[in-house]
Structure formats: structure tokens, C-alpha cells
Amino acid sequence: MEVKMLQSQSSTAEQSFPLSREEVSSLRLKIEELEGERSRLEEDKKTLEMQLERFTLQGNYDQSRTKVLHMSMNPASVAKQRLREDQARLQEECEQLRELVRALERGGPIPANLEAAAGLPSSKEVAELRKQVESAELKNQRLKEVFQTKIQEFRKVCYALTGYQIDITTENQYRLTSMYAEHKADCLIFKATGTSGTKMQLLETAFSRTIQELIELHLLHQDSIPAFLSALTLDLFSRQTVA
């Protein structure tokens, strides 16, 4: 009956204080464990009573005519003593759980002795863990910001040194746009191939069809992407100079 009352109280506490949902869930698990242990003790008690009744009916033991010498450590006494100790322990744990449920219902801090009895982390431990999580999240956010800054810095350096803006279009595909391009749509698209992604393949675009001579010379015959890009840069630069 006490265990059922505790289950009802823990359910009410869970509805009243959503912030204590984890504590209430832990309580409910503890109550189920106590209920199972109490059921086991009740079964043991019934078994002992049935054995005693059977011995009496068989004539092995008659309380009115038989004098019994009780040993200080006989199995029956030990079993009864263990049963009384278990029942007392369960009673104490049930009372502690009742106090814990009442504390949750009030919404105030949980006493340290009740936290230990329920197997819950102390308020100090929870606060420390929250600080560690907040610190880790802050560091992660700062790392993301630094990483994004470094990426932008790297792209600007590549653009200034090579004359090409490099963008990732899809997985393993990169779009190169020259700073001397005559139109914004004039671009080259390379696709990384091979297991390590070190080999690059030029994909056909509207712009690539206009520079077939450079492609045949530097890519097909010389097999040099750097030479091709350099030659294209000089060609585009000369067009702007002439213009």
C-alpha cells in the first residue's frame, strides 16, 4: 500500500515540476525495485508459514505437547530475523522516498541525505556538471567561429595569390572563377577523382568550350593543371590589357 501511495505521489510531482522529471523517474524506478523486493519477502514469509503448518499437520511438531529447544542460531530464527531486518530497511527507505517526493512537490532544494538515499546526484554535482557543459559548448562555439574566420582568410589568400576564387559546389567538385574573367558566369569546374582525391578532372562548361586550345595543349599534351591555369590567367589578363 505504501509503495502504491509513493507511485501516486511521484506521478503528481512529475506533473507539478517538469524540471524534476529525471529525479521523479529515478524515484519511480526505486519504488518499483522496493515493490519487487517486498513481494519477494512476502512470498518467503508465506513459504515459511506453509512449511510450519505442514510440519504441524504431519505430527512433526505439536506446540501443546512438544517442548522445543531453540538454538541461538537455528535456520528459522535466522530467516525470521532477516525478514524483520529487510522489512525495517524497506520501511525506512519508503519513508525517505516519501520525504523526497514531498520535497519535489514543494519545488525547493532536495536535502543532501535524501539525494544520497534515492541514488540521485547532489545539487552541487549537478551544478558542476552544468558548468562543465556550458564551458564545453562555449569553447566549441569559439572554435567554430575561429574555423570560419580561418576559412575565409584562406580563401582570400588563395584568390590573391592564384587569381582564382575557389568554391565547393557539390561533393568533390570545385568551381574556379578567375579575377580577370570577362563575365561572372565564366568558370571552370574540376572534379576530384581517385581514392585519395588527388587527381582532378576538368568538367565541360560553356566557358571551357571557348578555350579548347589551352585545354588541348596544357591538359591533354602536357598534363599540367597549374600550367593550364597560369596560361588561362595570362590570356584573360592580356584581353583586359588590350581592351
Side-chain angles (χ1 to χ4, degrees), residues 48 50-62:
L48 289 174
M50 291 176 60
Q51 290 179 352
L52 181 59
E53 183 179 358
R54 185 172 66 252
F55 290 156
T56 301
L57 292 175
Q58 291 176 352
N60 296 334
Y61 172 58
D62 188 348

Side-chain angles (χ1 to χ4, degrees), residues 76-221:
S77 298
V78 172
K80 289 181 179 179
Q81 178 64 24
R82 184 180 303 159
L83 181 62
R84 286 193 295 269
E85 292 176 354
D86 290 342
Q87 288 178 336
R89 178 175 55 81
L90 288 174
Q91 182 67 27
E92 182 181 359
E93 291 184 4
C94 286
E95 182 60 31
Q96 290 176 343
L97 288 174
R98 277 197 296 267
E99 294 180 11
L100 185 57
V101 169
R102 286 193 292 268
L104 291 173
E105 290 176 341
R106 291 192 300 268
I110 301 176
N113 62 321
L114 296 182
E115 290 174 343
L120 300 174
S122 64
S123 301
K124 183 178 180 181
E125 292 175 341
V126 172
E128 183 64 26
L129 288 174
R130 286 178 178 173
K131 288 182 180 179
Q132 293 179 6
V133 171
E134 291 175 358
S135 177
E137 290 178 347
L138 181 59
K139 290 180 180 178
N140 189 37
Q141 182 62 30
R142 289 177 178 174
L143 285 175
K144 288 181 179 179
E145 293 174 357
V146 171
F147 185 69
Q148 290 296 329
T149 301
K150 290 298 181 182
I151 288 178
Q152 295 300 324
E153 180 181 344
F154 180 75
R155 294 179 75 247
K156 290 179 181 179
V157 170
C158 288
Y159 184 69
L161 294 178
T162 66
Y164 289 94
Q165 177 177 317
I166 304 175
D167 299 297
I168 301 176
T169 56
T170 59
E171 185 177 0
N172 297 331
Q173 287 192 10
Y174 307 90
R175 181 178 63 237
L176 276 68
T177 305
S178 174
M179 65 171 59
Y180 303 116
E182 297 177 328
H183 307 91
K184 292 183 179 180
D186 293 347
C187 65
L188 300 172
I189 296 180
F190 286 89
K191 181 178 181 180
T193 60
T195 55
S196 59
T198 55
K199 294 183 179 180
M200 306 297 294
Q201 178 183 1
L202 178 65
L203 303 182
E204 184 178 282
T205 62
F207 176 67
S208 68
R209 289 194 292 268
T210 65
I211 53 173
Q212 288 298 315
E213 293 183 0
L214 295 177
I215 292 175
E216 291 179 2
L217 175 61
H218 299 292
L219 294 183
L220 299 181
H221 295 287

